[in-house]
Amino acid sequence: AELRSPVYAIDLLGYGKSSKPPGVLYGQELWAWEISTFLSEVVTSTPAFLVGHGLGAYACMEAAATNPEGVAGLAVMAPSARYGVLNPSGLDAFWLRWGFVAQQLGEQLLRKFSGPAAVRETLRSRYADPTKVDESVVAALAEPWVDPRAAAAGKFVFASLYTADAGPTWEDLISEEEVGYCGPLLAVWGDKDEENLVDDLQVLRGLQPKMQQTVVDAGHYPFHEKAEEVNQALASWVRTHSGKGTDFPIPYRARYQRLPLDWNTLKRLL
């Protein structure tokens, strides 16, 4: 609002108030497609600035990497899936994909967000200042799962985090040395985030040294605990890069190996 530009808040498919169709392969490919499609079909004033948190930040990273021409800037808040693994354990273990195991873990994860009491307890453990967990926040997260149909679909959605194959790593998505997103990047973190550690900032900076960062006195949800500080950082960053388009370099390093042109090589290629 401060910048007098339209702002869209998207609930990724399967989460919040979005649709939760069963039988869908939930994962970063679906969510990156959702974001890219929204940009091309709804946001007419592209390129746009993408802002995401947690898994949403990871989905924005993939959307920006696959469609850099439509993105004026990318802001990530405590992005997850450092190695492309969507489930909270961060383990890419085959046994987590077993139907029964994934179902049990998915239901356990759903219970943390499917009722006011559980949501309140979960949030308080992730906030640096638990007093910031007010009833409006609890209601906003718990309400979408009240409908029995949504709760039934939620079991499948959360189980999908465990059954999904590992996606691209941060190095695949953010880099100055290979194909991927290399435009304006802002990272926002809470210095008391125990879920996605602030040390991961150094990983992103190693991938893109020109990255800007904002660290605030908060836990896993800096945009709520320190809303004013985070909003000011976002507004300042957007102002800096507005109107510049996407005329930034997209470095490329060939991902192939030069082979000697001889008969054996030709036979391998034919």
Side-chain angles (χ1 to χ4, degrees):
E2 180 183 345
L3 299 172
R4 298 187 179 182
S5 299
V7 177
Y8 302 91
I10 305 174
D11 278 334
L12 297 178
L13 285 170
Y15 289 92
K17 295 183 178 180
S18 71
S19 299
K20 302 169 181 62
V24 173
L25 184 61
Y26 292 94
Q28 79 286 342
E29 289 186 0
L30 171 67
W31 298 322
W33 169 84
E34 177 185 358
I35 295 169
S36 298
T37 302
F38 187 87
L39 289 179
S40 62
E41 296 188 4
V42 178
V43 183
T44 57
S45 57
T46 53
F49 289 90
L50 295 180
V51 182
H53 170 262
L55 276 178
Y58 178 63
C60 285
M61 290 166 70
E62 180 156 358
T66 53
N67 299 283
E69 67 282 354
V71 179
L74 171 66
V76 294
M77 301 186 191
S80 52
R82 164 73 179 85
Y83 298 104
V85 179
L86 301 183
N87 73 70
S89 74
L91 297 175
D92 185 21
F94 70 91
W95 52 270
L96 289 176
R97 299 190 181 94
W98 291 347
F100 175 76
V101 175
Q103 181 180 358
Q104 294 299 311
L105 291 173
E107 290 183 9
Q108 181 181 358
L109 192 58
L110 174 62
R111 283 195 292 271
K112 292 184 177 181
F113 296 97
S114 58
V119 169
R120 192 178 299 108
E121 181 181 354
T122 299
L123 292 182
R124 284 178 175 171
S125 68
R126 297 180 179 185
Y127 274 63
D129 180 6
T131 63
K132 291 283 188 179
V133 182
D134 56 42
E135 292 309 305
S136 63
V137 175
V138 172
L141 290 177
E143 182 183 352
W145 305 108
V146 172
D147 188 323
R149 291 174 298 179
K155 296 178 182 180
F156 184 83
V157 173
F158 282 96
S160 293
L161 298 181
Y162 293 91
T163 58
D165 292 331
T169 65
W170 289 4
E171 286 84 353
D172 296 323
L173 302 175
I174 306 292
S175 176
E176 288 198 333
E177 297 182 349
E178 297 194 16
V179 173
Y181 178 77
C182 62
L185 176 65
L186 171 67
V188 178
W189 236 282
D191 61 359
K192 296 180 177 62
D193 189 344
E194 297 181 359
E195 184 167 342
N196 296 348
L197 300 180
V198 71
D199 293 345
D200 285 342
L201 268 174
Q202 301 308 316
V203 177
L204 287 175
R205 182 164 296 283
L207 298 175
Q208 195 180 116
K210 294 181 181 179
M211 177 191 79
Q212 295 177 245
Q213 68 181 52
T214 295
V215 179
V216 297
D217 181 18
H220 186 58
Y221 302 97
F223 56 87
H224 183 235
E225 280 197 80
K226 297 294 180 180
E228 186 174 345
E229 290 181 47
V230 172
N231 287 342
Q232 288 178 353
L234 283 170
S236 175
W237 174 73
V238 169
R239 271 194 223 95
T240 300
H241 298 286
S242 290
K244 294 185 177 181
T246 55
D247 189 21
F248 45 79
I250 301 180
Y252 179 78
R253 176 189 295 168
R255 296 183 184 222
Y256 56 82
Q257 179 183 4
R258 292 184 180 276
L259 298 175
L261 189 59
D262 56 28
W263 176 240
N264 290 330
T265 300
L266 289 175
K267 285 195 297 183
R268 288 167 53 190
L269 296 175
L270 295 177

